Amino acid sequence: MPEFELIDRYFKSRARSRPDVLLGIGDDCAVLQPPAGMQLAVTMDTLVAGVHFPLNTSAQDIGYKSLAVNLSDLAAMGAQPAWAMLALTLPDENETWVDAFMQGFDELARQYQVQLMGGDTTRGPLSITIQVTGFVEPERVLRRDAAKMGDRIYISGTLGDAALGLKKCLQKIPPQFSLPYCVQRLNRPIPRLELGRALLDVSHCAIDVSDGLLADLGHIIKASHCAARIELVRVPLSDDLKKYYGSNPDWPAIIAGGDDYELCFTVAPENEKCVQAISRELNLALTCVGDVVAGEGIHCVDQHNKEIVFTQCGYNHFANPAS
Ligand code: ADP
Ligand code: MG
């Protein structure tokens, strides 16, 4: 099928129609009308087969996840999603694959009224790049450099499920444990967009946990020139994860494994009541795991207040493989 037919059939036909997309797929550029007085929040993420998802991931899950990880970045800023661009590199003209990929993409796009308004289609090893744009009121955003000494550190949902799901997909878990919830968390992360918007009233500082808590909270404390104290016993774990690990949770995997896409945010103690109200309203656990303190680095302590030191600190694509 010629490239333009593929574009018409699978990308153009599926696009939502937002009134602020004046010209969508089909011309040399899209033409967009941002709402008066709003600023744009823009982000892009690439997913490479075998690096960002196991090779056995379904096309539908890849379509869903490629958009979800981008929307998660908008969530971490408190932005309202609007537009997406998709650069797709495909090894061959597999229409069935593209159709399933777009079904997954569209599930989320529909849920958040995101319009696909352009992109590029090329041939090569499977890779997906998505760029999304959202709206924010002037300077009303959740930034990494806005944590303050004395703030409490919160996490949405639970951590570690996706890392365990990944082990399952890579067949590193005995077959009697099917772990469907963890696999779902790996392949279908939920971008915490409603939470990000709600946090604008109570917080100035958030990040989405894509590379593990240690790495991502590390970005916050570095940018905010402070340190963090984390109580491991408070880190929220799902029932499935607890059941699998029993009394011996794999802490490095839980706090340094990636792909959770929960939000880590800081709040002044006087705003903690509002955090619990947001938690009830969104029916989403928001758990305090520690405090922003003076100094440097992240200090994890166990139930006896003894510091536990972790050497590995999240996924780094350019890390020296020998180190
Ligand atoms: P050009 O050669 O002028 O860059 P293309 O043939 O690459 O144009 O694309 C034609 C139209 O199809 C453009 O509007 C482009 O944004 C859109 N498009 C191409 N690939 C994709 C894709 N994977 N997803 C969404 N839109 C796409
Ligand atoms: Mg092009």
Side-chain angles (χ1 to χ4, degrees), residues 13-293:
S13 68
R14 277 245 177 70
R16 325 267 95 237
S17 68
R18 286 178 63 102
D20 50 17
V21 179
L22 308 181
L23 193 55
I25 294 171
D27 215 310
D28 295 309
C29 290
V31 179
L32 309 165
Q33 179 66 65
M38 297 295 264
Q39 295 178 342
L40 304 180
V42 185
T43 183
M44 175 192 276
D45 261 322
T46 294
L47 282 79
V48 176
V51 178
H52 298 93
F53 52 87
L55 296 171
N56 57 4
T57 310
S58 76
Q60 214 163 327
D61 284 344
I62 296 169
Y64 177 101
K65 186 167 180 175
S66 309
L67 182 57
V69 302
N70 276 279
L71 294 181
S72 176
D73 282 321
L74 291 183
M77 297 302 282
Q80 189 183 325
W83 307 319
M85 292 203 105
L86 166 66
L88 200 52
T89 303
L90 299 168
D92 49 38
E93 271 167 39
N94 184 339
E95 277 183 61
T96 320
W97 191 95
V98 175
D99 192 25
F101 173 90
M102 283 310 293
Q103 272 176 41
F105 178 100
D106 212 34
E107 251 180 72
L108 256 188
R110 211 175 314 136
Q111 195 176 338
Y112 292 106
Q113 287 93 49
V114 171
Q115 179 164 345
L116 179 63
M117 45 75 179
D120 200 15
T121 309
T122 50
R123 187 179 293 237
L126 179 61
S127 131
I128 302 106
T129 297
I130 293 183
Q131 185 251 35
V132 289
T133 302
F135 305 143
V136 294
E137 282 163 34
E139 260 118 294
R140 214 167 165 249
V141 286
L142 305 165
R143 300 172 54 122
R144 296 178 179 193
D145 60 4
K148 297 242 163 12
M149 229 83 82
D151 278 358
R152 319 296 314 271
I153 300 168
Y154 275 80
I155 296 287
S156 66
T158 56
L159 295 185
D161 303 316
L164 188 55
L166 177 62
K167 273 194 185 169
K168 179 69 202 169
C169 291
L170 297 176
Q171 285 158 5
K172 292 180 178 166
I173 304 266
Q176 67 266 33
F177 299 100
S178 61
L179 298 172
Y181 176 75
C182 294
V183 172
Q184 169 91 2
R185 293 270 292 156
L186 173 72
N187 290 330
R188 298 255 162 171
I190 299 171
R192 301 297 187 190
L193 285 154
E194 294 85 0
L195 175 61
R197 307 278 301 151
L199 286 177
L200 289 170
D201 293 326
V202 300
S203 170
H204 301 290
C205 176
I207 193 165
D208 65 322
V209 183
S210 51
D211 296 327
L213 179 64
L214 286 186
D216 291 313
L217 178 59
H219 297 314
I220 286 186
I221 60 162
K222 196 161 176 223
S224 301
H225 306 290
C226 50
R229 182 178 177 278
I230 297 293
E231 292 177 49
L232 288 177
V233 282
R234 300 172 79 156
V235 171
L237 306 178
S238 68
D239 290 342
D240 285 49
L241 193 122
K242 283 189 218 163
K243 216 188 300 165
Y244 178 76
Y245 285 125
S247 57
N248 192 20
D250 179 1
W251 286 114
I254 293 164
I255 63 169
D259 269 359
D260 291 311
Y261 300 100
E262 295 295 346
L263 295 190
C264 172
F265 56 97
T266 78
V267 284
E270 61 267 28
N271 283 338
E272 289 193 270
K273 272 211 189 83
C274 303
V275 171
Q276 286 323 312
I278 292 171
S279 168
R280 283 191 297 276
E281 199 180 309
L282 299 179
N283 193 23
L284 173 64
L286 302 176
T287 310
C288 178
V289 294
D291 300 275
V292 178
V293 294

